[in-house]
Amino acid sequence: MALPLQSLLLVFASFFLMQSLAYAATCSDCFTHSRAAYYPNSDEQGTETGQCGYGSFGATINDGDVSAASDLYRDGVGCGACYQVRCTNGNYCSDKGVTVVITDHGSSDRTDFILSRRAFGRMAQTTDAATSLLALGVVDIEYRRLSCSYPSKNITIKIDENTNFPYYMAFVIWYQQGMKDITAVQLCETQNFVCKLLDRSYGAVWTTTSPPSGTLSLRMLFSGDDGDETWVVPINNIPENWKAGDIYDTGVQVN
């Protein structure tokens, strides 16, 4: 028995609504509307005291195109994530906008981003437009997450200056890559494969008291918004005589 026209239209409308909702829930290329400001009284680059724990590296990574985030900071899980941010004022703003790396936590006047001065100006079409944009201070934007890529860099760790070998170990992870978050870190003894789960002290800084001994293997858990999780084991190990201030190239990239 054929359905009446009205019933058919209702079925099709319900189908397309469900398809649209499914697309909206999974759309990784969609932009979110928000607002952005820039660091007051700053130089062109970011801050060296950001709450991700990057230090001076946090001011210069990505050529200084960095940002503080409010909700996107996510108690430090959002550190190192990359976002395309573009302002929406057609008189000043380019379609491309700027790609920034999250290196700090903060908000101002209902903003999701506080960009470095350099990054804020790079949203503009021209140098003159950048001057006008900076004069506004806070602008409407749209943003989306992008995959971080550092073609000439591997994921790197820096042992924190407050580390006390062999009783306390802290390090920060540099050059986080891809679109997934680092949600867990383990240190494993390479001799007997005993592993210890580290604590996220703050931002991208991971710590442990009584760290494993000997040459150490690092394991990082990369987690996606879709629930997919992957443990990544670097090629290079941490030597048994690690000390404060040392920088170690893990030998791996994750894209």
Side-chain angles (χ1 to χ4, degrees):
M1 179 178 179
L3 291 173
L5 178 60
Q6 186 176 7
S7 298
L8 284 173
L9 291 174
L10 182 60
V11 170
F12 281 119
S14 298
F15 173 77
F16 285 117
L17 177 61
M18 292 176 64
Q19 290 291 98
S20 298
L21 290 174
Y23 174 77
T26 59
C27 177
S28 60
D29 292 328
C30 295
F31 284 90
T32 300
H33 293 278
S34 184
R35 288 159 58 84
Y38 64 92
Y39 282 105
N41 305 320
S42 71
D43 56 16
E44 287 294 304
Q45 297 177 325
T47 176
E48 297 186 358
T49 58
Q51 293 186 40
C52 286
Y54 292 131
S56 59
F57 173 81
T60 58
I61 186 177
N62 197 37
D63 294 327
D65 289 338
V66 298
S67 179
S70 52
D71 293 343
L72 295 172
Y73 178 77
R74 292 176 292 144
D75 294 325
V77 176
C79 289
C82 296
Y83 291 88
Q84 179 185 5
V85 182
R86 62 188 189 189
C87 52
T88 57
N89 187 321
N91 294 323
Y92 307 128
C93 303
S94 69
D95 293 334
K96 183 179 179 181
V98 64
T99 299
V100 297
V101 180
I102 301 303
T103 61
D104 195 8
H105 178 236
S107 62
S108 171
D109 192 14
R110 297 176 288 114
T111 62
D112 272 311
F113 296 89
I114 302 179
L115 306 175
S116 64
R117 186 183 181 93
R118 168 188 162 88
F120 197 89
R122 281 169 54 82
M123 292 191 294
Q125 300 171 8
T126 65
T127 302
D128 289 341
T131 301
S132 299
L133 205 61
L134 288 163
L136 294 175
V138 180
V139 295
D140 292 326
I141 58 142
E142 52 187 17
Y143 69 89
R144 63 179 176 179
R145 188 165 181 180
L146 297 179
S147 178
C148 295
S149 179
Y150 306 98
S152 62
K153 299 292 184 181
N154 297 322
I155 295 176
T156 301
I157 68 168
K158 180 184 179 184
I159 308 297
D160 190 85
E161 301 294 345
N162 294 319
T163 287
N164 182 19
F165 178 87
Y167 307 106
Y168 171 76
M169 185 181 195
F171 59 81
V172 62
I173 298 177
W174 291 354
Y175 301 116
Q176 178 178 326
Q177 300 159 5
M179 283 189 66
K180 293 183 177 180
D181 301 315
I182 299 176
T183 55
V185 174
Q186 289 184 335
L187 279 178
C188 303
E189 296 181 5
T190 57
Q191 292 297 319
N192 54 22
F193 302 106
V194 173
C195 296
K196 184 171 186 179
L197 190 65
L198 275 61
D199 298 316
R200 185 190 296 274
S201 176
Y202 69 98
V205 179
W206 297 86
T207 64
T208 181
T209 56
S210 302
S213 59
T215 302
L216 302 176
S217 173
L218 182 70
R219 301 179 76 232
M220 298 171 288
L221 181 63
F222 283 77
S223 304
D225 292 338
D226 58 359
D228 181 56
E229 294 185 330
T230 304
W231 281 100
V232 173
V233 181
I235 298 172
N236 299 330
N237 294 323
I238 301 172
E240 61 179 328
N241 59 342
W242 51 266
K243 60 183 183 297
D246 281 354
I247 297 174
Y248 300 113
D249 183 331
T250 66
V252 297
Q253 294 190 5
V254 180
N255 294 311

